[in-house]
Amino acid sequence: MTVLAGGVGAAKFLAGLAEVIDPAGLSAVVNVADDTLVHGLHVSPDLDSCMYTMAAVNDSDRGWGLRGETWHAMDHLRRYASANEIQHGDAAGWFSLGDRDLGTHLYRSSRMAEGLTLSEVTAEMTRAWELGCDLLPVSDDDLRTRIHTTDGRELAFQEYFVRERHDVDVSAIEVLGADVATPAPGVIAAIETADVVVVAPSNPVVSIDPVLAVPGVREAVARRRDSVIAVSPIVGGAALKGPADRLLRDLGHEASVVGIAQWYAPLAATLVIDVEDEGHRGAVESKNVSCVVTDTIMRSVDVSADLAAFTISAVLGSGGR
Amino acid sequence: MTVLAGGVGAAKFLAGLAEVIDPAGLSAVVNVADDTLVHGLHVSPDLDSCMYTMAAVNDSDRGWGLRGETWHAMDHLRRYASANEIQHGDAAGWFSLGDRDLGTHLYRSSRMAEGLTLSEVTAEMTRAWELGCDLLPVSDDDLRTRIHTTDGRELAFQEYFVRERHDVDVSAIEVLGADVATPAPGVIAAIETADVVVVAPSNPVVSIDPVLAVPGVREAVARRRDSVIAVSPIVGGAALKGPADRLLRDLGHEASVVGIAQWYAPLAATLVIDVEDEGHRGAVESKNVSCVVTDTIMRSVDVSADLAAFTISAVLGSGGR
């Protein structure tokens, strides 16, 4: 199985999937266009969300980072910032990193400074958490999502997402570096050889699109269309979390399962929608996408596992749990 | 008053001095040749020792870092390192950074990435700790002490000091970058205009010598020789802490107050020695250095303050406490 993955939604789906299949047969191709340097450290929010959630050490209430986290480093940093009335830039500390989480970023940054690729250090981290699966950054090259706002600003992804709490009107999105990036080792093979390719319930605009934007990835997924199934991140016209609905509307799309069906139609033969959206089944299928319906709201690992099993069996028939 | 400063000994002396004079009249010119990048962060061990000790937030038992520190980030990092059997390099985590201490390094690195000099960010940090004095890195340029060992290795300072616990035979020491460095703003003026210039009881070889190695500093100190007083870091033939005695011997000098007198004779008219070494007074003075005797073992801030007051009055006569 191969999963195209962004952050929280994908992480939960992957944790469920690892309950119902042998993780040795599982690859996740993960967005890295949200990656950022914070205080000189390489932070990979989506890889970390997947890793922490699969290791069951994530903070599910906060929605990011580690459970039982402490914040001494950031509190200490903010002492300097506030004494000097610093409001902007890294030093202002608006991008919070917990103390344990810092260990992840310090390790990643060290190893990359020693010459490892992001893929290689991710494999080391996956080993340390004993995940058993492959977490593959979609590329080892730098990809950076840039958000253009209707009021003429250009924001780095984390400025948009964290600092501005995605409360801005977006006019366009670009993924810097995508045109010259190459897929990381194993990415294309994972898509080509999987029995099922799942597009996780992640933000299609800023999580999945940057994965597809790496030359060769979109084409590889499209070639597998019959074995590709997307899980809708939109339920009842809204994103469960984050700005997917607003972004779809800002960019002229419909923020509904029908909009998602149309968005993914060139890539995925099947769409999983939530029971709440069952009434839209016909409209989804009018987009030339098979529609299957189940509970997609991953309140617990058990629900995630049921959703994962259902998703696999929707493609394979009798597979799954 | 201006103090040429290294790490722990200087930090204690400065904390004592700030008790007996108005800190507004105090400048410390601090060694930065121990500075290092750890996990991409700029760490300034001597500046931090001075800052934390003057702010009375240092851990005096451990001898470095902050009191009440936690180690979550490093513990977490070492989880990755040990799972991958990594023994060397930054990622091995042999250079420990506490969680709160990381806040300092993150802030410093951020501000420097934003374009500030080390002097400028140090001034911001001094302000945050309300120290009232000037902590001046001797230079804003990169200085890096390199340790050459008799068995042919070349070690960065922290590899020598922390990783090898300074248990190596040293054949030579060089300060990379010193020949092209310029003194940071205020450094030469602080030496030229001070009523008294104190050479703190720091390691003469690896703490004070790199300060003097910045072009213009040694000459400025030598011109003030009559107003310069050194406090011996050697008591009873041994360093109170660290490798000063072994380094002096390795490099062919005498590890005694007499060796210190000879070392500093071109720069300092007066040497403060400990009561334990009173018997060496004549030998010290034979080096053309006035000798004054007091308790130099800074067990407490009160003792440090007494030593500081005594040191000032040894130059100024009736000054001090």
Side-chain angles (χ1 to χ4, degrees), chain B residues 36-212:
Chain B
T36 186
L37 282 181
V38 183
H39 313 295
L41 303 178
H42 187 115
V43 178
S44 295
D46 284 354
L47 283 169
D48 290 346
S49 284
C50 291
M51 182 169 75
Y52 292 161
T53 305
M54 294 191 79
V57 293
N58 64 304
D59 189 310
S60 53
D61 296 330
R62 196 189 319 116
W64 55 273
L66 288 153
R67 200 166 53 236
E69 188 60 282
T70 50
W71 306 91
H72 302 308
M74 280 291 135
D75 289 348
H76 197 87
L77 178 145
R78 291 195 179 105
R79 177 195 186 100
Y80 295 119
S82 68
N84 291 284
E85 295 179 5
I86 290 165
Q87 316 285 339
H88 297 290
D90 261 14
W94 55 262
F95 194 87
S96 278
L97 299 169
D99 297 326
R100 290 160 187 79
D101 196 28
L102 271 169
T104 297
H105 312 313
L106 291 165
Y107 183 81
R108 177 184 290 120
S109 303
S110 298
R111 292 298 275 163
M112 290 177 74
E114 288 168 9
L116 269 70
T117 62
L118 181 58
S119 302
E120 288 166 342
V121 68
T122 303
E124 289 187 345
M125 291 181 160
T126 306
R127 193 175 305 135
W129 290 110
E130 301 178 358
L131 301 187
C133 66
D134 284 332
L135 291 186
L136 305 173
V138 63
S139 178
D140 285 327
D141 300 321
D142 275 346
L143 297 175
R144 293 294 179 267
T145 296
R146 299 293 294 182
I147 310 283
H148 297 265
T149 67
T150 55
D151 59 5
R153 289 180 295 160
E154 186 184 330
L155 303 174
F157 183 79
Q158 300 300 341
E159 291 173 341
Y160 159 74
F161 197 77
V162 178
R163 194 187 71 198
E164 305 289 332
R165 296 192 179 85
H166 46 76
D167 187 19
V168 297
D169 292 320
V170 173
S171 58
I173 288 172
E174 60 180 332
V175 182
L176 300 182
D179 52 337
V180 293
T182 53
V187 164
I188 298 297
I191 295 165
E192 288 178 337
T193 62
D195 293 330
V196 179
V197 175
V198 181
V199 181
S202 294
N203 189 313
V205 183
V206 291
S207 297
I208 301 298
D209 216 51
V211 170
L212 298 168

